[in-house]
């Protein structure tokens, strides 16, 4: 029973990793083709931008859709979403 609950997240992580690899390869190819041979950090930031997007979306969601009871619940939400977005960005950038 426990293995079935982990099946969907593992498939999701695999799809995200595959998508991140494809985008990084295409962007590196286009940059090298244009003559930009300083591609190392650019390829890292191409993958890490998904974490920036996830953080921006979570901030928008927090202010547009949620009703905060007090200041502490908002700060806990922002801290946890920042940590999740940072880990997600590092994962997508390092793949």
């Amino acid at each position: 029973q426990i293995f079935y609950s982990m099946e969907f997240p593992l498939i999701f992580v695999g799809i995200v990793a595959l998508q991140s690899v494809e985008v990084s390869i295409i962007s590196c190819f286009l940059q090298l083709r244009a003559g930009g041979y300083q591609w190392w950090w650019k390829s890292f930031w191409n993958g890490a931008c998904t974490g920036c997007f996830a953080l921006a979306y979570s901030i928008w969601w927090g202010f547009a859709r949620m009703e905060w009871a007090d200041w502490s619940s908002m700060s806990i939400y922002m801290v946890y979403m920042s940590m999740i977005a940072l880990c997600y960005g590092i994962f997508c950038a390092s793949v």
Side-chain angles (χ1 to χ4, degrees), residues 24-37:
S24 294
I25 288 172
I26 290 171
S27 64
C28 277
F29 171 74
L30 292 175
Q31 186 176 2
L32 287 172
R33 190 166 180 235
Y37 297 108

Side-chain angles (χ1 to χ4, degrees), residues 75-87:
S75 64
I76 289 171
Y77 171 78
M78 290 299 169
V79 167
Y80 276 117
M81 290 311 294
S82 299
M83 289 189 298
I84 290 169
L86 178 69
C87 291

Side-chain angles (χ1 to χ4, degrees), residues 31-32 35-43:
Q31 186 176 2
L32 287 172
Y37 297 108
Q38 304 286 328
W39 58 273
W40 301 282
W41 285 108
K42 186 117 174 148
S43 67

Side-chain angles (χ1 to χ4, degrees), residues 7-22:
E7 185 176 294
F8 180 73
L10 289 175
I11 290 171
F12 176 75
V13 167
I15 290 172
V16 166
L18 183 66
Q19 177 264 337
S20 180
V21 166
E22 289 174 351

